[in-house]
């Protein structure tokens, strides 16, 4: 009861009965010029326009002497010169563990039409990352429920990876599987610019009751204004930071960082910034880096944020601007390939094009040797795949290739296994395939990292 009273009191203190009011001075194609606001208003402050057709939210994106430019969150139909523009209090969130199992918008309002009480501690959605000299190194390896990620592409606490995929290759399904299977205390999911019908499908079908039990979902559908879609990723990260500061291990999933970058581009161009890299303004790399750097290991007694950022790539083009920016910021990248998906192997990960920068420290010398051997086998078969399919390769011509042809189907089957019993058992199964050794029935808990 005392906790509920404290949270209700915090919510009441955040309310401001008196607010400054400006006026609409001009309406452009995508933005409104507001005059009469106090000189201490800031970039990112929120407004509420009282138009003839109702209330319209807006966000300040540029400041000039005596006026500001605001990007509305809805259509401008009905807005007229002189309409009041109310300056709202600074945007903040007060996440709480009671939010698990809920779907909210980027402003912390529930989307499931049920009441949602904020926590006690208010925090900004654009917090700076942990201090570089104070944050810990990446932590222990985590069990993912996938043999592939337990062995060849390990994931450790505080690691940030990119999931690079085109449409229809199983990206959403893989994200849902990771949300259910990865060993974490809390899962925070940001659905940035997702189609409206896909939000419910992801929550009910992909995550299900099991996944939602420990998850907070932040959603901004594709019809929302660009600043709202951009804020979705920032809000999800702020919620993850709140749980991290409580000493918890948080899994943060952002789908997708590409749509975050596209939303940032719309806001930046409306504010007057010039387009540069294939239409993206020069501020895009710093916006992506500022978001991603907030995840990772925390300081001192804080927990960790292990993050997975999905990246949409057209035609598997890894040289697209957003994909190229992400590779330099993250601690690894996982590439989903359409050809592998068409062969029926899921997750359709192209191991040879994927990298986990937690290696070699995340594995023992013996495990690193197994990983290198498995990659060598996969690379050997990849070099002669077309020759084998065309019947141009003769058995016995090269012992290494013969071995790769024999082992590759077994490795493919192993990499599609979603029922991994732990890291030690996963490596034992990999060793059995490569060396024809016996596989233990159960894992030794002391070997788990």
């Amino acid at each position: 009861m005392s906790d509920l009273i404290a949270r209700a009191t915090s919510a009441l203190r955040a309310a401001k009965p008196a607010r400054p009011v400006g006026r609409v001075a001009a309406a452009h194609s995508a933005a409104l010029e507001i005059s009469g606001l106090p000189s201490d208003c800031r970039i990112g402050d929120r407004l509420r326009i009282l138009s003839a057709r109702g209330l319209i939210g807006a966000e300040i994106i540029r400041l000039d002497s005596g006026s500001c430019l605001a990007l509305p969150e809805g259509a401008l139909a009905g807005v007229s010169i002189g309409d009041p523009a109310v300056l709202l209090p600074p945007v903040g969130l007060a996440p709480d563990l009671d939010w698990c199992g809920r779907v909210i918008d980027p402003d912390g309002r529930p989307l499931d039409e049920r009441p949602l009480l904020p926590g006690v501690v208010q925090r900004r959605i654009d917090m700076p990352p942990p201090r570089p000299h104070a944050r810990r190194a990446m932590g222990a390896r985590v069990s993912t429920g996938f043999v592939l990620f337990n062995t060849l592409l390990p994931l450790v606490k505080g690691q940030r990876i990119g999931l690079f995929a085109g449409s229809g290759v199983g990206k959403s399904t893989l994200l849902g599987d990771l949300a259910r299977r990865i060993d974490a205390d809390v899962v925070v999911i940001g659905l940035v610019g997702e189609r409206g019908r896909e939000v419910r499908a992801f929550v009910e079908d992909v995550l299900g009751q099991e996944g939602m039990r420990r998850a907070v979902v932040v959603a901004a559908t594709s019809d929302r204004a660009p600043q709202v879609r951009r804020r979705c990723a920032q809000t999800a990260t702020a919620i993850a930071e709140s749980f991290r500061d409580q000493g918890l291990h948080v899994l943060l999933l952002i789908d997708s960082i590409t749509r975050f970058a596209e939303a940032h581009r719309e806001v930046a161009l409306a504010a007057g910034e010039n387009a540069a890299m294939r239409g993206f303004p020069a501020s895009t790399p710093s916006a992506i880096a500022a978001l991603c750097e907030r995840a990772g290991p925390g300081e001192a007694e804080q927990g960790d944020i292990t993050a997975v950022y999905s990246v949409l790539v057209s035609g598997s083009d890894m040289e697209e601007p957003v994909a190229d920016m992400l590779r330099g910021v993250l601690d690894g990248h996982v590439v989903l390939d359409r050809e592998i998906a068409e062969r029926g192997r899921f997750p359709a990960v192209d191991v040879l094009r994927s990298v986990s920068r937690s290696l070699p420290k995340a594995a023992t010398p013996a495990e690193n040797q197994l990983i290198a051997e498995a990659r060598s086998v996969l690379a050997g078969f990849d070099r002669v795949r077309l020759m084998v399919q065309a019947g141009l390769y003769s058995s016995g011509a090269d012992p290494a290739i013969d071995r790769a042809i024999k082992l590759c189907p077994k490795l493919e089957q192993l990499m599609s296994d979603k029922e991994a019993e732990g890291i030690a058992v996963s490596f034992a199964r990999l060793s059995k395939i490569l060396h024809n050794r016996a596989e233990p029935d159960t894992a030794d808990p002391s070997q788990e990292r």
Side-chain angles (χ1 to χ4, degrees):
M1 180 62 71
S2 60
D3 179 61
L4 289 176
I5 294 175
R7 291 164 64 182
T9 303
S10 176
L12 289 173
R13 286 175 178 170
K16 301 292 184 182
R19 299 169 184 169
V21 179
R23 298 284 175 177
V24 175
H28 305 290
S29 59
L32 297 172
E33 185 177 338
I34 309 296
S35 62
L37 289 175
S39 58
D40 60 349
C41 61
R42 300 174 178 86
I43 297 291
D45 281 353
R46 307 281 298 284
L47 302 174
R48 183 173 293 150
I49 313 298
L50 282 67
S51 72
R53 296 189 180 181
L55 302 177
I56 300 175
E59 179 179 318
I60 297 176
I61 59 174
R62 194 178 74 194
L63 297 173
D64 296 310
S65 178
S67 67
C68 65
L69 197 67
L71 194 62
E73 296 179 3
L76 292 179
V79 175
S80 60
I81 302 298
D83 282 347
V86 180
L87 182 64
L88 301 180
V91 178
L93 285 175
D96 190 87
L97 284 172
D98 286 348
W99 290 16
C100 289
R102 305 298 299 276
V103 183
I104 65 174
D105 72 2
D107 295 323
R109 296 187 294 258
L111 294 177
D112 52 13
E113 299 181 351
R114 292 187 290 136
L116 182 70
L117 193 62
V120 177
V121 181
Q122 284 276 336
R123 61 187 306 123
R124 297 183 356 234
I125 66 170
D126 58 348
M127 294 290 289
R131 298 167 297 172
H133 65 281
R135 68 192 314 174
R136 304 186 310 275
M138 291 190 295
R141 196 163 54 181
V142 297
S143 181
T144 64
F146 289 85
V147 173
L148 172 61
F149 294 107
N150 282 352
T151 56
L152 302 184
L153 295 171
L155 188 65
V156 302
K157 286 185 178 181
Q159 188 173 356
R160 302 166 304 182
I161 65 170
L163 186 62
F164 296 76
S167 58
V169 295
K171 169 179 60 65
S172 296
T173 301
L174 178 55
L175 287 173
D177 286 338
L178 291 174
R180 292 196 308 272
R181 298 170 183 272
I182 285 184
D183 183 15
D185 298 314
V186 186
V187 180
V188 180
I189 303 170
L191 301 179
V192 183
E194 188 62 85
R195 291 166 290 184
R197 64 178 180 82
E198 292 292 342
V199 173
R200 183 171 181 178
F202 183 85
V203 170
E204 295 182 356
D205 301 333
V206 178
L207 283 179
Q209 291 184 353
E210 176 190 357
M212 281 298 295
R213 190 173 296 115
R214 59 171 184 167
V216 180
V217 178
V218 184
T221 52
S222 58
D223 61 310
R224 300 298 303 272
Q227 67 270 32
V228 179
R229 285 181 271 129
R230 182 176 67 173
R231 203 156 60 236
C232 179
Q234 296 171 330
T235 296
T237 305
I239 294 172
E241 289 171 328
S242 174
F243 297 144
R244 176 206 63 196
D245 292 350
Q246 300 176 40
L248 301 177
H249 175 214
V250 185
L251 174 64
L252 173 64
L253 306 177
I254 301 294
D255 184 20
S256 71
I257 203 71
T258 304
R259 290 193 285 260
F260 167 82
E262 291 170 347
H264 174 79
R265 174 176 60 188
E266 292 183 54
V267 175
L269 294 180
E273 192 172 346
N274 294 324
M277 306 163 290
R278 297 193 195 178
F280 286 95
S283 62
T284 305
S286 60
I288 291 176
L291 179 72
C292 295
E293 280 296 325
R294 294 167 63 184
E299 301 180 13
E301 301 302 320
Q302 294 178 346
D304 301 288
I305 300 177
T306 302
V308 179
Y309 301 97
S310 73
V311 187
L312 300 175
V313 291
S314 302
S316 300
D317 182 10
M318 294 290 288
E319 303 306 318
E320 287 187 339
V322 177
D324 192 46
M325 296 173 204
L326 260 293
R327 283 204 310 273
V329 172
L330 302 179
D331 306 312
H333 54 272
V334 176
V335 180
L336 300 186
D337 187 83
R338 188 174 305 280
E339 181 182 346
I340 295 176
E342 292 171 350
R343 295 205 306 263
R345 197 253 282 172
F346 294 97
V349 176
D350 187 336
V351 176
L352 298 178
R353 297 172 63 198
S354 303
V355 173
S356 173
R357 293 181 182 172
S358 63
L359 290 174
K361 291 184 178 181
T364 65
E367 290 168 346
N368 278 314
Q369 186 175 352
L370 284 174
I371 293 171
E373 188 174 349
R375 281 183 168 272
S376 177
V377 168
L378 293 171
F381 183 75
D382 188 67
R383 287 194 298 269
V384 298
R385 182 187 298 274
L386 293 178
M387 293 179 61
V388 172
Q389 292 174 342
L392 300 177
Y393 178 75
S394 298
S395 179
D398 188 324
I401 293 178
D402 291 342
R403 181 170 182 260
I405 294 173
K406 177 183 177 181
L407 296 181
C408 199
K410 298 179 181 179
L411 289 176
E412 290 263 340
Q413 183 177 1
L414 183 67
M415 288 187 293
S416 64
D417 193 341
K418 299 181 181 180
E419 302 298 333
E421 301 175 31
I423 296 170
V425 171
S426 297
F427 270 106
R429 295 176 64 187
L430 178 62
S431 179
K432 180 182 178 182
I433 290 175
L434 295 175
H435 303 144
N436 195 27
R437 293 174 180 169
E439 177 181 343
D441 293 332
T442 58
D444 180 358
S446 65
Q447 298 182 41
E448 296 295 331
R449 280 170 295 280

